[in-house]
Amino acid sequence: GANPMSGDLKIAAELLEEEGQTLVVVKNGRLLFSSRLAGIQPLLDALDNNVLPGSAVADKIVGRAAAMIAVLGQVTAVHTTVMSQGAADVLAEAGVLYCAGMTVPQILNREGTGPCPIEITTEFTVVPEKGVKAVRKLLIDLHSTVPLKQVH
């Protein structure tokens, strides 16, 4: 098989390092998508923009949710600085090549006080579609700061 660090993945990994990006998507030697935003949203945006199929993705942190998005988006290979064990399992199961700087038992929340809520929301399923749907719902819930008024 191909060396996971060949071609696109190598370019993506280098861009992630050099440019201070949080997410880089490369296909056929071309940069298709990049972001400096934290969290899972950039990867969801890449999925929705249909730039993931057949691409190599470099991401600062890949947890189970990110891995499910990568699988759903038909990514070929993933490079990350930090990967959770759950993410490694998801990618291996789907036959997606991956290369991680370090593997950790789980991704923590921003405060480092417990597991990342986005990680927890995917734990009920091994089906990427279901996991990604749950992540989207969680993000909507987190972003809706205005309490819903009950209609009588």
Side-chain angles (χ1 to χ4, degrees):
N3 173 0
M5 279 307 278
S6 68
D8 291 346
L9 197 61
K10 195 171 187 315
I11 295 167
E14 283 168 3
L15 287 173
L16 190 78
E17 285 301 309
E18 292 163 16
E19 308 285 329
Q21 308 280 5
T22 54
L23 173 69
V24 177
V25 180
V26 174
K27 186 176 177 181
N28 301 330
R30 286 176 50 239
L31 175 64
L32 296 186
F33 189 94
S34 68
S35 178
R36 286 189 162 85
L37 297 172
I40 198 94
Q41 193 60 54
L43 198 53
L44 280 171
D45 292 343
L47 178 68
D48 294 338
N49 284 308
N50 207 32
V51 293
L52 295 180
S55 73
V57 167
D59 198 338
K60 277 265 189 260
I61 301 174
V62 172
R64 207 159 180 270
M68 285 186 167
I69 295 169
V71 170
L72 191 60
Q74 296 172 308
V75 164
T76 306
V78 175
H79 165 88
T80 184
T81 316
V82 180
M83 181 176 285
S84 73
Q85 187 54 54
D89 295 343
V90 167
L91 294 173
E93 178 71 25
V96 176
L97 292 168
Y98 63 89
C99 169
M102 62 186 266
T103 306
V104 296
Q106 65 181 170
I107 306 296
L108 299 178
N109 60 22
R110 292 205 176 127
E111 296 74 40
T113 54
C116 168
I118 289 172
E119 284 293 272
I120 299 167
T121 201
T122 66
E123 282 176 1
F124 73 99
T125 183
V126 293
V127 181
E129 288 86 347
K130 290 184 179 174
V132 173
K133 193 175 274 188
V135 167
R136 289 190 197 273
K137 186 182 182 310
L138 178 71
L139 289 175
I140 292 166
D141 292 347
L142 290 177
H143 290 165
S144 54
T145 45
V146 183
L148 293 170
K149 292 196 171 60
Q150 285 204 297
V151 181
H152 292 291

